[in-house]
Amino acid sequence: QVQLVESGGGLVQAGGSLRLSCAASGRSFSSYAMGWFRQAPGKEREFVAAINRSGGSTYYTDSVKGRFTISRDNAKNTVYLQMNSLKPEDTAVYYCAAAVWGSGSRLMKMDGIDYWGKGTLVTVSS
């Protein structure tokens, strides 16, 4: 069983930045494609960003391209989401997800997810 623990959420003003982290348990982190998703109040969970197992390919939803960057450190079993130029519409609970031997392209479709974290709240004030 893999546990994913997110951290780094909080309250920030519009235009500000936050860096989310997701630490994974276990010894096989390099075999997981990793993704970030978010769910705003009253809305369905949506894809935000994904990264393949080696970190060589990344994927983003259009609304965050140029503002968010996903990265991973396989030595630390951690995936990050650097969020810049935050907007009030980015307010949501952000979830980390892992797909064992998966791919970033499948994570974009919320397909093949094996594990979810419990989420961290990001609130962007106007």
Side-chain angles (χ1 to χ4, degrees), residues 7-10 12-13 15-21 36-38 48-49 60 64 66-70 80-87 90-94 120-124:
S7 61
V12 63
Q13 288 188 333
S17 297
L18 282 175
R19 188 195 197 201
L20 305 184
S21 299
W36 287 96
F37 299 80
R38 66 187 180 187
V48 176
Y60 299 93
V64 308
R67 300 189 297 123
F68 290 11
T69 302
I70 188 171
Y80 306 96
L81 185 68
Q82 178 66 44
M83 306 186 295
N84 299 329
S85 302
L86 282 161
K87 304 176 181 179
D90 294 318
T91 295
V93 177
Y94 283 71
T120 185
L121 176 62
V122 172
T123 304
V124 184

Side-chain angles (χ1 to χ4, degrees), residues 10-101:
L11 174 64
V12 63
Q13 288 188 333
S17 297
L18 282 175
R19 188 195 197 201
L20 305 184
S21 299
C22 172
S25 65
R27 303 179 181 179
S28 303
F29 183 73
S30 60
S31 67
Y32 311 152
M34 299 296 297
W36 287 96
F37 299 80
R38 66 187 180 187
Q39 187 166 16
K43 295 188 177 181
E44 294 187 351
R45 193 171 299 188
E46 64 174 358
F47 167 77
V48 176
I51 189 166
N52 71 352
R53 299 188 300 272
S54 68
S57 295
T58 56
Y59 308 82
Y60 299 93
T61 192
D62 287 345
S63 63
V64 308
K65 285 180 181 177
R67 300 189 297 123
F68 290 11
T69 302
I70 188 171
S71 61
R72 66 188 295 160
D73 185 337
N74 285 349
K76 295 183 178 180
N77 284 15
T78 302
V79 62
Y80 306 96
L81 185 68
Q82 178 66 44
M83 306 186 295
N84 299 329
S85 302
L86 282 161
K87 304 176 181 179
E89 51 264 43
D90 294 318
T91 295
V93 177
Y94 283 71
Y95 297 91
C96 173
V100 180
W101 296 113

